[in-house]
Structure formats: C-alpha cells, structure tokens
Amino acid sequence: QVLLVESGGGSVQAGGSLRLSCAASGWTELRACAGWFRQYPGKEREWVASVDRRRTAAYADSVKGRFTISKDLASHTLDLQMSSLKPEDTAMYYCANSGRACDSPLVNQHDYAYWGQGTQVTVSS
C-alpha cells in the first residue's frame, strides 16, 4: 500500500508561482510512474504531467512550458513547479502513483493505482 500526501497548494495571483509536493510512504515501487492530475468542479480529472521510471516527463499542452514535474527517488517525493499561473489553472490537484514499473509516462488516470487526497490551487486574476 502506498500513501500519498500532497502539500503546497494555496492562493496566488495570475502570473505567480506555486510548488506542489507529494510525499509517498509505505512500500513504493521505485520504477513506478508518477503524475499530477487536476479536477474542476463537476468535471473528470484531467492529466497535467507525469514522469516514468527514468524520469522522462510529459506534459499536457495547457501547461507545457509553465509547469515542471520532478521526482526524487531518495526522498520519495514528486514535485510540480507551477509558474506563470492563470485563472484557468484553478483546480484541485492530485498526485498519483502507478504502483508498478513503467517505461513511458502514463496519461490515463485509470493506469494509476494510488492517489493523494488533493490540494487546492486558486489563481485570481
């Protein structure tokens, strides 16, 4: 079982930055994929970014060039550095772990076995 706990959410003005962090505890597959998703009220979760076991990253077009995902195997943390934030980035953000080895970043939420509880990001104009 993997427990994921997000932190770092909050409120920021448009153009600002936030750094989300996800700490993993319990048994963790070091070769697993990890990712960030976000969810708007009443909508399905939307893929934001993910990284595979080699730390190859992939990003949704809406965040490419503004967000950076990073994975630290030693500390079992997954970070999401968000810059040039826009009001449309306002959402609940979730980190996820696939729980199994993977060789390319996963973008489908159904490929992830473990989820954090979410952290709210609010960007005001």
Side-chain angles (χ1 to χ4, degrees):
Q1 185 73 19
V2 177
L3 178 65
L4 304 175
V5 179
E6 301 101 333
S7 61
S11 297
V12 66
Q13 288 194 322
S17 300
L18 280 175
R19 187 177 185 89
L20 305 183
S21 188
C22 176
S25 60
W27 181 84
T28 52
E29 166 58 72
L30 295 180
R31 299 169 298 167
C33 274
W36 287 95
F37 288 75
R38 63 188 179 188
Q39 189 170 23
Y40 303 105
K43 301 285 188 180
E44 286 275 316
R45 280 179 189 168
E46 171 185 289
W47 171 67
V48 174
S50 55
V51 60
D52 68 14
R53 66 186 183 100
R54 297 184 184 88
R55 284 178 269 191
T56 299
Y59 299 92
D61 287 343
S62 58
V63 306
K64 201 172 292 183
R66 301 188 298 121
F67 290 11
T68 302
I69 189 171
S70 59
K71 183 180 179 182
D72 187 316
L73 295 178
S75 61
H76 298 290
T77 57
L78 180 75
D79 289 348
L80 185 70
Q81 177 66 47
M82 306 185 295
S83 302
S84 302
L85 283 161
K86 305 175 181 179
E88 51 264 44
D89 294 318
T90 296
M92 185 72 78
Y93 284 71
Y94 297 89
C95 70
N97 185 290
S98 66
R100 58 178 175 83
C102 75
D103 294 317
S104 60
L106 300 174
V107 305
N108 190 320
Q109 61 173 319
H110 301 294
D111 290 322
Y112 289 88
Y114 303 103
W115 293 86
Q117 82 288 350
T119 186
Q120 178 68 35
V121 171
T122 302
V123 184
S124 58
S125 57

